[in-house]
């Protein structure tokens, strides 16, 4: 992929903190006080990092814990596509900066092999009659140890924490993300980006379990809609669109030996 160059207004105002409860929570407060689109908050450590579905997010020193503020134009109706966009931007940045090609698990997980190396939490709010969106990105870059409950699922990219990866990764990530976002605004759909996303997807083509408040069902992930929803074909061959809830990938069946 071609490197992207030039001035990027996103990140021109970047706040680096040693420690914060959650970069998302703090940036939401700042958004309400009127800071501009493109403001970025990065913390060395989060004491109350938040994940999806009300879960907590383990955020010791050694990760990239960051949030970006967007102020989408009125009429922008695609916040559901933003986690996909952010995931794609992270994947492109990791490839470009570090030569690492992660997998993208719909809608918001960054995988390295089978392990979760990162996640995205998109939250929307209102301020002075205008909407804002905070895109939180967490990436286990040089996290040495995980608590026991995450030990089977979380992985780190295992980079040397003393190397200056953070600023370079942040710069490329923000450039990639902005280009993807501008294309999304221009086209009003993710359609033009789905090819690139699908190439990195570890969900498409796999058997999945969809957990919803009303129960779980199984099917095969067969595609994505232009709004970024997952299309899952159930056992009766009916295609259903999944826009929220939890999707887990069923492990591939082992071929019998011998
Ligand atoms: C997930 O559950 O997969 C989403 C995890 C998102 C974590 C990031 S770390 C930076 C930002 N601040 C937070 O409190 N959460 C997000």
């Amino acid at each position: 992929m071609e490197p992207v160059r030039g001035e990027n207004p996103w990140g021109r105002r970047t706040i680096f903190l040693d420690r914060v409860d959650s970069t998302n929570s703090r940036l939401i407060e700042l958004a309400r006080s009127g800071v501009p689109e493109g403001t970025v908050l990065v913390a060395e450590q989060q004491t109350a990092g938040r994940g999806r579905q009300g879960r907590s997010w383990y955020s010791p020193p050694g990760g990239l814990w960051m949030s970006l503020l967007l102020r989408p134009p009125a009429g922008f109706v695609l916040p559901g596509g933003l986690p996909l966009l952010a995931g794609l931007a992270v994947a492109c940045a990791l490839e470009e900066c570090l030569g690492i090609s992660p997998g993208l698990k719909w809608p918001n997980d960054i995988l390295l092999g089978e392990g979760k190396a990162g996640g995205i939490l998109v939250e929307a709010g209102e301020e002075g009659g205008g909407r804002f969106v905070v895109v939180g990105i967490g990436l286990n870059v040089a996290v040495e140890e995980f608590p026991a409950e995450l030990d089977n699922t979380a992985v780190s990219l295992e980079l040397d924490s003393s190397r200056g990866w953070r600023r370079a990764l942040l710069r490329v990530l923000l450039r990639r993300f902005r280009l993807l976002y501008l294309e999304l605004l221009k086209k009003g759909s993710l359609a033009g980006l789905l090819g690139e996303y699908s190439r990195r997807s570890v969900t498409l083509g796999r058997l999945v379990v969809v957990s919803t408040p009303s129960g779980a069902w199984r099917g095969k992930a067969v595609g994505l809609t232009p709004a970024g929803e997952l299309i899952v074909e159930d056992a009766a061959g009916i295609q259903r669109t999944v826009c929220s809830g939890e999707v887990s990938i069923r492990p591939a069946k082992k071929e019998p030996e011998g």
Side-chain angles (χ1 to χ4, degrees):
M1 180 172 277
E2 284 294 297
V4 199
R5 300 189 200 290
E7 253 299 280
N8 183 3
W10 287 10
R12 209 176 275 155
R13 180 173 183 161
T14 299
I15 304 162
F16 287 95
L17 297 175
D18 277 344
R19 217 173 138 95
V20 70
D21 51 356
S22 150
T23 56
N24 265 33
S25 303
R26 186 60 67 89
L27 192 55
I28 288 171
E29 282 168 26
L30 291 173
R32 297 216 159 96
S33 72
V35 296
E37 171 164 274
T39 300
V40 173
L41 187 59
V42 185
E44 185 62 36
Q45 184 177 4
Q46 295 184 118
T47 54
R50 295 188 289 109
R52 286 175 70 228
Q53 317 272 340
R55 290 191 276 257
S56 62
W57 182 261
Y58 180 63
S59 325
L64 179 67
W65 321 127
M66 61 163 285
S67 300
L68 162 72
L69 176 65
L70 302 179
R71 295 191 182 277
F76 177 79
V77 287
L78 266 176
L82 287 176
L84 276 69
L85 220 59
L88 186 52
V90 171
C92 293
L94 286 175
E95 269 166 29
E96 193 175 321
C97 286
L98 304 168
I100 295 171
S101 298
L104 298 175
K105 177 175 168 279
W106 186 91
N108 75 329
D109 288 352
I110 317 288
L111 299 193
L112 200 62
E114 297 283 306
K116 179 156 168 165
I120 289 149
L121 178 67
V122 175
E123 298 182 289
E126 298 223 5
E127 174 253 326
R131 276 190 318 151
F132 65 83
V133 177
V134 166
V135 182
I137 299 174
L139 206 50
N140 305 325
V141 182
V143 176
E144 280 164 18
E145 246 183 297
F146 291 96
E149 70 272 18
L150 295 180
D151 225 18
N152 287 330
T153 50
V155 292
S156 176
L157 304 179
E158 285 186 19
L159 295 183
D160 181 347
S161 50
S162 61
R163 273 184 45 203
W165 47 263
R166 190 195 317 255
R167 277 176 197 268
L169 187 61
L170 191 59
R171 195 181 60 243
V172 177
L173 168 54
L174 291 173
R175 282 206 186 132
R176 284 284 168 211
F177 196 177
R178 182 162 173 270
L179 287 185
L180 294 168
Y181 179 67
L182 292 180
E183 192 175 336
L184 172 66
L185 290 186
K186 196 163 114 199
K187 305 259 171 70
S189 127
L190 289 175
L193 310 169
L194 290 183
E196 264 218 52
Y197 182 91
S198 303
R199 237 175 10 92
R200 296 171 168 88
S201 168
V202 297
T203 307
L204 293 176
R206 299 283 297 271
L207 296 173
V208 296
V209 180
V210 183
S211 309
T212 68
S214 53
W217 54 281
R218 287 154 189 250
K220 184 174 179 183
V222 293
L224 292 161
T225 70
E229 300 138 331
L230 188 66
I231 305 170
V232 180
E233 190 170 293
D234 69 15
I238 297 169
Q239 295 196 349
R240 302 208 238 162
T241 297
V242 180
C243 55
S244 61
E246 288 284 270
V247 170
S248 52
I249 298 175
R250 288 168 63 193
K253 269 205 187 118
K254 275 203 177 143
E255 292 296 326
E257 282 175 25

